[in-house]
Amino acid sequence: MLMAILSIIVSIAYFIVLNMNIYTDRAMMPTGEVREWHRSPIARLNIADQSFLIYLQIVFAAVSVITSVLLLFGVRSSIVRTIQLVGTIGSTIVFIIIMIVTSGSHTRYA
Protein backbone atom coordinates (compact mmCIF):
# COMPACT_ATOMS: atom_id res chain seq x y z
CA MET A 1 0.00 0.00 0.00
CA LEU A 2 2.85 2.37 0.79
CA MET A 3 4.45 1.65 -2.58
CA ALA A 4 1.19 2.52 -4.35
CA ILE A 5 0.90 5.87 -2.59
CA LEU A 6 4.57 6.62 -3.19
CA SER A 7 4.19 5.75 -6.87
CA ILE A 8 1.32 8.23 -7.28
CA ILE A 9 3.25 10.98 -5.49
CA VAL A 10 6.36 10.37 -7.59
CA SER A 11 4.38 10.50 -10.85
CA ILE A 12 2.84 13.82 -9.85
CA ALA A 13 6.25 15.19 -8.83
CA TYR A 14 7.74 14.21 -12.19
CA PHE A 15 5.08 16.15 -14.09
CA ILE A 16 5.52 19.18 -11.84
CA VAL A 17 9.27 19.19 -12.51
CA LEU A 18 8.77 18.66 -16.24
CA ASN A 19 6.52 21.73 -16.39
CA MET A 20 8.77 24.04 -14.33
CA ASN A 21 10.79 26.68 -16.18
CA ILE A 22 14.25 25.52 -15.15
CA TYR A 23 16.26 26.20 -18.31
CA THR A 24 17.39 29.53 -19.70
CA ASP A 25 18.04 29.83 -23.43
CA ARG A 26 19.88 32.79 -24.87
CA ALA A 27 20.28 33.66 -28.54
CA MET A 28 21.75 36.53 -30.51
CA MET A 29 19.10 38.26 -32.58
CA PRO A 30 19.78 39.78 -36.03
CA THR A 31 19.55 43.26 -34.49
CA GLY A 32 22.52 42.49 -32.25
CA GLU A 33 20.62 42.15 -28.99
CA VAL A 34 20.58 39.01 -26.89
CA ARG A 35 17.18 37.51 -26.21
CA GLU A 36 16.52 35.24 -23.27
CA TRP A 37 13.82 32.59 -22.80
CA HIS A 38 12.94 30.57 -19.72
CA ARG A 39 11.77 27.12 -20.72
CA SER A 40 10.57 23.89 -19.18
CA PRO A 41 11.96 20.47 -20.14
CA ILE A 42 8.76 19.78 -22.08
CA ALA A 43 9.17 22.99 -24.10
CA ARG A 44 12.79 22.10 -24.88
CA LEU A 45 11.78 18.62 -26.02
CA ASN A 46 9.17 20.12 -28.34
CA ILE A 47 11.72 22.54 -29.79
CA ALA A 48 14.24 19.72 -30.27
CA ASP A 49 11.51 17.64 -31.99
CA GLN A 50 11.74 14.84 -29.42
CA SER A 51 8.21 14.98 -28.07
CA PHE A 52 7.94 11.18 -28.21
CA LEU A 53 9.73 11.14 -24.84
CA ILE A 54 6.90 13.15 -23.30
CA TYR A 55 4.35 10.65 -24.59
CA LEU A 56 6.43 7.75 -23.32
CA GLN A 57 6.57 9.42 -19.89
CA ILE A 58 2.79 9.89 -19.91
CA VAL A 59 2.21 6.22 -20.79
CA PHE A 60 4.47 4.92 -18.02
CA ALA A 61 3.03 7.34 -15.47
CA ALA A 62 -0.54 6.45 -16.44
CA VAL A 63 0.17 2.72 -16.09
CA SER A 64 1.83 3.34 -12.74
CA VAL A 65 -0.99 5.50 -11.38
CA ILE A 66 -3.81 3.26 -12.63
CA THR A 67 -2.28 0.13 -11.17
CA SER A 68 -1.52 1.97 -7.93
CA VAL A 69 -5.16 2.99 -7.64
CA LEU A 70 -6.18 -0.62 -8.28
CA LEU A 71 -3.87 -1.72 -5.47
CA LEU A 72 -5.31 0.92 -3.15
CA PHE A 73 -8.83 -0.33 -3.88
CA GLY A 74 -7.93 -3.84 -2.85
CA VAL A 75 -6.84 -5.72 -5.96
CA ARG A 76 -4.18 -8.06 -4.62
CA SER A 77 -2.91 -9.74 -7.76
CA SER A 78 0.80 -10.30 -8.23
CA ILE A 79 0.42 -9.34 -11.90
CA VAL A 80 -0.95 -5.91 -10.93
CA ARG A 81 1.91 -5.40 -8.47
CA THR A 82 4.45 -6.35 -11.13
CA ILE A 83 2.88 -4.01 -13.71
CA GLN A 84 2.82 -1.21 -11.13
CA LEU A 85 6.48 -1.73 -10.33
CA VAL A 86 7.45 -1.83 -14.02
CA GLY A 87 5.42 1.35 -14.66
CA THR A 88 7.07 3.20 -11.80
CA ILE A 89 10.59 2.11 -12.77
CA GLY A 90 9.90 2.91 -16.44
CA SER A 91 8.56 6.34 -15.52
CA THR A 92 11.66 7.06 -13.45
CA ILE A 93 14.01 5.94 -16.22
CA VAL A 94 12.21 8.02 -18.85
CA PHE A 95 12.22 11.03 -16.49
CA ILE A 96 15.99 10.72 -16.07
CA ILE A 97 16.45 10.38 -19.84
CA ILE A 98 14.31 13.48 -20.43
CA MET A 99 16.35 15.51 -17.95
CA ILE A 100 19.63 14.38 -19.57
CA VAL A 101 18.40 15.05 -23.10
CA THR A 102 17.02 18.49 -22.28
CA SER A 103 20.11 19.57 -20.39
CA GLY A 104 22.30 18.65 -23.34
CA SER A 105 20.12 20.08 -26.09
CA HIS A 106 20.97 23.48 -27.48
CA THR A 107 18.30 25.24 -29.43
CA ARG A 108 19.20 27.12 -32.57
CA TYR A 109 17.39 30.12 -33.89
CA ALA A 110 17.64 31.26 -37.48
Side-chain angles (χ1 to χ4, degrees):
M1 182 157 142
L2 181 62
M3 182 64 178
I5 295 170
L6 185 64
S7 176
I8 293 171
I9 292 171
V10 166
S11 294
I12 293 169
Y14 289 162
F15 280 107
I16 289 172
V17 171
L18 288 176
N19 285 305
M20 288 174 36
N21 291 330
I22 57 176
Y23 295 114
T24 302
D25 293 334
R26 291 182 185 90
M28 183 70 81
M29 295 288 112
T31 60
E33 62 186 279
V34 175
R35 185 161 177 208
E36 188 174 282
W37 295 269
H38 298 286
R39 295 213 166 97
S40 67
I42 290 177
R44 280 189 121 184
L45 283 176
N46 285 330
I47 290 171
D49 198 27
Q50 295 178 339
S51 57
F52 71 93
L53 288 172
I54 298 167
Y55 298 124
L56 192 60
Q57 174 68 27
I58 291 170
V59 167
F60 277 121
V63 167
S64 176
V65 169
I66 290 169
T67 54
S68 295
V69 169
L70 286 174
L71 287 172
L72 288 175
F73 283 132
V75 177
R76 296 289 177 218
S77 172
S78 64
I79 295 172
V80 174
R81 286 185 184 154
T82 304
I83 293 172
Q84 188 258 344
L85 185 62
V86 168
T88 303
I89 292 171
S91 179
T92 301
I93 290 171
V94 172
F95 175 76
I96 292 170
I97 290 170
I98 287 173
M99 296 307 286
I100 291 170
V101 166
T102 56
S103 70
S105 68
H106 299 286
T107 55
R108 296 185 188 137
Y109 301 95

